[in-house]
Amino acid sequence: MLQSMRDNLKGTAAIIVAALFGFIMVIGGINFFSGASGGAADKVAEVNGEKITNLDLQRAIQNRRNMIMNQFGDQAPADLLTDEKLREPVLQQLVTSSVMRQAAQDSGMVMSPAAVDREIVQIPGFQVDGKFDPQLYRDGLRRLGYSAAGFRQTMERDLVLQQYADSVTDSAFTTRAAADKVVAMSMEERDFDYALLPVNGLLDEVSVSDSEVQDYYDKHQDDFQRPEQVAIEYIDLKPSLFAKNIDISEEDVRAQFEQEKSSFQAKTRRHAAHILIEGDDQKKIAEVQSKLAAGEDFAQLAKTYSDDLGSRDEGGDLGFTAGDVFPEAFEKALAGLKVGEVSGPVTTDAGTHFIKLLEVEDSKAPTFEERKAEIKEQLQNAEAEREFVGALSRLADLAYNADSLSGPAEELGVPVQTTGLFSREGGAGIAANDKVVAAAFSPEVMLDGNTSDVLNLSSDEAVVLRVTQHKDSGTYPLEEVREKIVTRLKRDKASAQLAVKAQALQKQLEDGGDFAELAKEQGLTLETSDNTRRGGFGERGEIIEHAFAMASPASGGSTFGTFATDEGNQVVLKLRAVRPGDLSRQSSEQRAALLQQLATMDGRAELAAVQKYLTDEAKIEFSSSK
């Protein structure tokens, strides 16, 4: 049910958010974010009286942006990440989510607490070695800004929405007759023989005149259109350019280590466990307190009474804290305990806690050898960063009005790099960056010959560029495409010559000639293809496609055809038999899988229809800024 979320969840807050977002998008909505802001922001839409706020929309847009970044990384197209580009589809998804959730509520669908818990503990991002890890769970919720109760409520809401979607898709079915039709076409088999007459053997015998080349060029101008192109030179500043030339002495490393050592403060880490009672259940609180006072086992009581699913199965174990992990009241109570002691009731926003101190651990200062390599790298990176910042501050002045970037590069001690020609669609390397392409094709850089502004590609990379070559859009000159035209014309001529030979061979076959003997006489290789199904790649795929386009032969007869492949080779084909796919010939497992696959396709179509119906029937109002 939550497979999309499970597959993508990796343990960090950003990935958790993106994974949850991706799960909701599978069923057409973004319920994870809906309702999170209450009335804290202006309304952007209203669905049957339920508000979608601007904060809901902005959260959804940001997380859709995170999903794109996770998918494409640094290659993510900049125009896909803008609010303007994302706003419309994300808002529509919020609306779809809202109508679906309302339909689920109207249907009386609910999700049991146990089912919600089962889904949470199976999320890989909360697991270590395949086992649910309470500390990862708590850390993840803190990063997301959720309490355990709030996260469970969100999960329950989304699972109900998925349950409603499943109730539509799982009810779909397909008939045996429909499956028979699909199998008859998709699993059809054909038997055929063919001989290929290769064009390459004739190319050297074919000549093409200048007038033929000119005539082809004149008649196929659309084939030789060239987009506007530029080539650039550029300076690409990164701290790494400077780091490789920075030498850090051992004296500097030791001095930094001694400074760290003098400021090192040993931290006391306390290992805590708790029993959490959510809400204000005074009866339950009193019962737990009484059993603790009677000396009953803390871990067993946690498993029985605690509302913190992240720790209860571990006997309430919360891991270590240095005084900055839990709420202030919790940390204060923990600090006042001796090892093995249990606190009285402690109240925080999460509920009422009974806290046990399991152990105390004091940290030790690392040795010089343990810190040496890391300190050296830190000092080297810090110095490189300073040089990078200094170079960056000088780059714009040095490059301004420069006729070439070689002078500024020499001044900064960095290389000048160049690209080949590329269009507005971008090119390889730095030319794949949208900011670089936009700057290169800006009028002041491309037409006026100015150096670009400094382009901050990231927090630690900046580029300045100049256009070194500019070609307007238009038609490639004949000389640039002459070789391509000559090759094309030679292939066409050779293929036309082969077509005569191929048609003659086909006529002999139609007159009853033996394909194998005729092929041998003409020095051709006869290929046999039995039990062939649709599909294939390259020239083989072309041949199969033509075989399946031919008319079925009469019983006991054959059908013949001649055609040219994209390479100009001629093919003579003899189609001997056609057998429609037969569902009954499939194994029971294959039949069941096919029926399930068809039902799934029908279910998806039905779900889309339900979503459209609910949306069409809903009263939806958008703000004027939509």
Side-chain angles (χ1 to χ4, degrees):
M1 187 182 296
L2 290 176
Q3 195 59 46
S4 177
M5 178 172 72
R6 293 175 184 159
D7 288 344
N8 290 291
L9 195 59
K10 301 300 181 186
T12 65
I15 302 300
I16 290 173
V17 172
L20 290 173
F21 181 83
F23 155 62
I24 298 305
M25 287 191 65
V26 170
I27 58 173
I30 315 178
N31 184 55
F32 178 78
F33 305 98
S34 184
S37 61
D42 294 336
K43 177 180 70 176
V44 293
E46 187 171 303
V47 182
N48 295 327
E50 180 181 281
K51 292 181 180 180
I52 297 174
T53 69
N54 187 55
L55 183 55
D56 295 329
L57 178 58
Q58 292 306 314
R59 284 177 172 174
I61 287 174
Q62 182 56 46
N63 282 278
R64 177 57 178 160
R65 187 178 292 118
N66 288 343
M67 286 186 67
I68 295 173
M69 292 298 294
N70 288 334
Q71 180 178 356
F72 292 100
D74 294 338
Q75 301 303 315
D79 62 335
L80 289 183
L81 303 177
T82 64
D83 282 7
E84 293 76 15
K85 196 78 169 182
L86 295 174
R87 178 184 173 89
E88 184 74 18
V90 169
L91 182 55
Q92 289 297 335
Q93 288 164 342
L94 282 170
V95 169
T96 300
S97 175
S98 182
V99 297
M100 290 281 287
R101 185 177 62 256
Q102 291 172 23
Q105 292 170 345
D106 293 343
S107 299
M109 290 186 172
V110 296
M111 186 64 58
S112 70
V116 176
D117 290 349
R118 282 197 300 271
E119 293 295 343
I120 291 176
V121 298
Q122 291 179 47
I123 296 174
F126 298 148
Q127 294 180 349
V128 175
D129 296 330
K131 183 179 180 181
F132 180 79
D133 186 273
Q135 190 65 48
L136 279 181
Y137 174 70
R138 289 188 296 273
D139 291 345
L141 296 197
R142 277 196 296 274
R143 294 190 187 100
L144 288 170
Y146 273 90
S147 66
F151 185 73
R152 288 186 74 260
Q153 182 181 21
T154 297
M155 288 290 296
E156 180 180 3
R157 203 165 52 230
D158 294 339
L159 287 167
V160 168
L161 181 55
Q162 179 69 68
Q163 185 182 49
Y164 181 78
D166 289 344
S167 72
V168 177
T169 57
D170 292 349
S171 64
F173 65 93
T174 191
T175 65
R176 174 63 183 256
D180 283 336
K181 290 180 180 180
V182 171
V183 169
M185 180 179 67
S186 65
M187 296 186 179
E188 178 183 310
E189 294 179 349
R190 296 195 168 202
D191 300 339
F192 57 89
D193 305 316
Y194 67 94
L196 186 143
L197 287 67
V199 73
N200 286 339
L202 292 179
L203 293 180
D204 292 340
E205 302 175 14
V206 177
S207 62
V208 176
S209 67
D210 289 343
S211 61
E212 288 177 311
V213 172
Q214 183 68 55
D215 184 59
Y216 186 93
Y217 176 75
D218 293 340
K219 291 179 179 179
H220 297 83
Q221 292 285 290
D222 290 345
D223 294 341
F224 305 117
Q225 293 304 301
R226 178 187 64 204
E228 187 175 27
Q229 296 176 305
V230 297
I232 63 172
E233 63 174 7
Y234 64 98
I235 296 174
D236 187 7
L237 283 187
K238 299 177 182 178
S240 57
L241 286 175
F242 306 98
K244 59 186 179 182
N245 297 322
I246 296 173
D247 183 36
I248 303 297
S249 68
E250 183 161 336
E251 290 77 10
D252 291 337
V253 176
R254 187 168 290 279
Q256 178 64 29
F257 172 76
E258 293 299 332
Q259 183 178 339
E260 288 185 5
K261 185 177 178 181
S262 64
S263 60
F264 175 80
Q265 293 181 349
K267 290 185 178 180
T268 298
R269 300 171 70 238
R270 292 179 171 83
H271 191 177
H274 80 150
I275 300 170
L276 172 64
I277 312 299
E278 293 182 344
D280 189 28
D281 190 340
Q282 292 299 320
K283 181 179 178 181
K284 187 175 181 180
I285 293 171
E287 185 176 348
V288 172
Q289 190 169 15
S290 173
K291 290 180 179 292
L292 287 170
E296 293 194 24
D297 182 68
F298 185 93
Q300 191 58 49
L301 291 174
K303 292 179 180 179
T304 303
Y305 290 97
S306 182
D307 291 324
D308 181 3
L309 70 91
S311 69
R312 67 186 182 197
D313 291 338
E314 304 297 325
D317 193 336
L318 293 172
F320 283 89
T321 174
D324 55 359
V325 173
F326 306 117
E328 182 179 354
F330 189 109
E331 294 283 3
K332 184 177 180 180
L334 180 63
L337 296 174
K338 295 180 180 179
V339 173
E341 284 186 341
V342 178
S343 74
V346 177
T347 302
T348 70
D349 290 342
T352 300
H353 309 259
F354 293 95
I355 306 167
K356 181 175 182 178
L357 178 61
L358 301 178
E359 61 179 310
V360 177
E361 184 181 87
D362 292 324
S363 58
K364 297 179 180 179
T367 66
F368 176 71
E369 290 302 321
E370 291 172 337
R371 291 285 297 142
K372 180 179 178 180
E374 186 175 348
I375 290 176
K376 183 175 182 179
E377 183 178 358
Q378 289 174 350
L379 293 176
Q380 193 174 43
N381 290 340
E383 183 59 32
E385 186 69 31
R386 283 191 288 271
E387 292 196 21
F388 168 73
V389 171
L392 185 59
S393 66
R394 299 170 59 201
L395 180 59
D397 290 338
L398 291 172
Y400 182 72
N401 280 341
D403 294 332
S404 163
L405 293 180
S406 58
E410 184 177 358
E411 183 76 17
L412 296 174
V414 297
V416 175
Q417 302 181 67
T418 60
T419 72
L421 287 166
F422 60 90
S423 70
R424 293 178 187 270
E425 297 299 316
I430 198 76
N433 186 282
D434 290 342
K435 289 183 179 180
V436 170
V437 174
F441 281 93
S442 64
E444 58 271 21
V445 175
M446 181 177 67
L447 301 179
D448 298 341
N450 294 328
T451 303
S452 73
D453 293 334
V454 175
L455 310 175
N456 293 309
L457 304 188
S458 68
S459 61
D460 59 357
E461 182 178 12
V463 167
V464 66
L465 62 90
R466 284 179 54 83
V467 169
T468 57
Q469 188 178 2
H470 172 220
K471 285 190 175 183
D472 287 321
S473 61
T475 306
Y476 283 104
L478 175 57
E479 290 310 310
E480 290 188 28
V481 295
R482 175 180 290 277
E483 185 176 345
K484 180 179 179 181
I485 294 174
V486 169
T487 300
R488 176 76 266 177
L489 290 175
K490 281 189 172 185
R491 284 192 175 276
D492 289 347
K493 282 188 173 185
S495 185
Q497 292 180 21
L498 285 175
V500 175
K501 184 177 179 181
Q503 289 163 4
L505 176 56
Q506 178 179 335
K507 180 66 169 59
Q508 290 176 295
L509 293 173
E510 291 172 341
D511 291 340
D514 182 87
F515 205 168
E517 292 181 1
L518 291 170
K520 184 177 181 180
E521 290 174 2
Q522 299 184 30
L524 304 175
T525 301
L526 181 65
E527 302 287 351
T528 296
S529 185
D530 289 338
N531 304 317
T532 307
R533 290 186 179 177
R534 300 175 190 271
F537 300 95
E539 194 165 57
R540 167 71 176 173
E542 292 181 61
I543 293 170
I544 293 174
E545 182 180 356
H546 279 279
F548 274 84
M550 292 171 62
S552 299
S555 178
S558 300
T559 302
F560 302 94
T562 299
F563 55 90
T565 68
D566 289 344
E567 291 296 316
N569 300 319
Q570 290 288 331
V571 177
V572 180
L573 189 145
K574 176 183 178 180
L575 178 60
R576 294 182 277 107
V578 174
R579 291 180 299 278
D582 187 351
L583 185 60
S584 64
R585 290 167 54 195
Q586 311 303 311
S587 68
S588 58
E589 292 81 6
Q590 289 173 322
R591 289 196 298 272
L594 176 62
L595 291 170
Q596 180 59 51
Q597 184 179 9
L598 294 175
T600 298
M601 294 170 61
D602 290 342
R604 290 172 180 168
E606 289 182 19
L607 179 60
V610 168
Q611 290 173 338
K612 184 177 186 305
Y613 172 79
L614 292 173
T615 303
D616 290 345
E617 292 296 310
K619 182 180 179 181
I620 301 171
E621 298 178 1
F622 293 100
S623 68
S624 58
S625 61
K626 175 183 178 291

